[in-house]
Amino acid sequence: MIHAKKELDLLRSYRRLMRGEKGRSGLLHHFLTPAAACLLVCVLIWGVLLMMNSSLSSLTDDINDWLLDPAVTQQYSEAADRQQYNDSLVQALGQVQALTDALATYPQVDSALISRIGAAGGAEVSMALTGYDADTGALRFDAQSTSVIDIPGYVLKLQSLGLFRKVDYTGYTYEDGMYVLSLNCILQGKETAE
């Protein structure tokens, strides 16, 4: 048998072996590096969100503590009471203004108005004012005469003055030699008169 010497080249085997492991580690490195980078970015984002959440939670706790402070609660209660009082004053002021505006539409109840009403009865009928309701414009008066009053004629004369929207009467009574006719007349406002 022939013994042939076989040379072992360990350096070449080592290089081949190293090239194969580099290929495997390069492949492993190729897949693990992006995954590790993505994991690192996610951990950083998570950390930033935790810090922001902690900051907002602290701010929310401070605001809640302020809101629950008895001094602040008392101030809020006083402010709410004042606002309610203000609202009621504004409403009352609006009602007063509306009433004032409504009253401004009625004719002025003065001696000139009374003399115009008195003139409607002529010389034989006198009148005496018994009441005036400024809210409704209702003027109450009694027409008096020594002779029987022609009620329909007198009411027509009052309506023809253009002062009243409505003329109501209850009939007449006879007292101490005088016939008395009680009238309730609603004054006509300027809007309805025009």
Side-chain angles (χ1 to χ4, degrees), residues 44-64:
L44 286 174
I45 290 172
W46 181 68
V48 168
L49 289 176
L50 277 179
M51 286 180 13
M52 288 174 61
N53 188 28
S54 173
S55 172
L56 287 175
S57 178
S58 172
L59 182 62
T60 303
D61 290 342
D62 290 345
I63 291 172
N64 283 333

Side-chain angles (χ1 to χ4, degrees), residues 20-150:
E21 284 183 21
K22 271 188 185 177
R24 280 189 219 133
S25 72
L27 187 62
L28 189 61
H29 181 67
H30 181 68
F31 286 114
L32 286 181
T33 301
C38 183
L39 181 64
L40 181 63
V41 167
C42 288
V43 168
L44 286 174
I45 290 172
W46 181 68
V48 168
L49 289 176
L50 277 179
M51 286 180 13
M52 288 174 61
N53 188 28
S54 173
S55 172
L56 287 175
S57 178
S58 172
L59 182 62
T60 303
D61 290 342
D62 290 345
I63 291 172
N64 283 333
D65 290 343
W66 181 79
L67 287 174
L68 295 175
D69 185 12
V72 172
T73 307
Q74 182 181 2
Q75 286 175 351
Y76 174 77
S77 177
E78 289 172 1
D81 290 344
R82 287 180 184 155
Q83 182 64 42
Q84 186 176 8
Y85 179 71
N86 267 355
D87 291 344
S88 67
L89 283 178
V90 166
Q91 184 179 11
L93 207 65
Q95 291 172 347
V96 166
Q97 186 61 44
L99 183 59
T100 302
D101 293 344
L103 288 176
T105 64
Y106 296 130
Q108 182 89 20
V109 179
D110 57 5
S111 60
L113 178 72
I114 302 299
S115 62
R116 282 184 69 191
I117 295 169
E124 53 199 47
V125 179
S126 64
M127 59 93 52
L129 186 64
T130 59
Y132 175 62
D133 184 1
D135 290 339
T136 60
L139 185 67
R140 288 178 298 280
F141 60 93
D142 291 338
Q144 303 169 357
S145 176
T146 54
S147 61
V148 175
I149 301 172
D150 177 23

Side-chain angles (χ1 to χ4, degrees), residues 3-16:
H3 276 303
K5 273 189 171 179
K6 198 173 190 188
E7 282 187 34
L8 280 174
D9 192 0
L10 291 177
L11 187 58
R12 187 186 284 170
S13 294
Y14 177 72
R15 285 184 186 156
R16 239 188 277 152

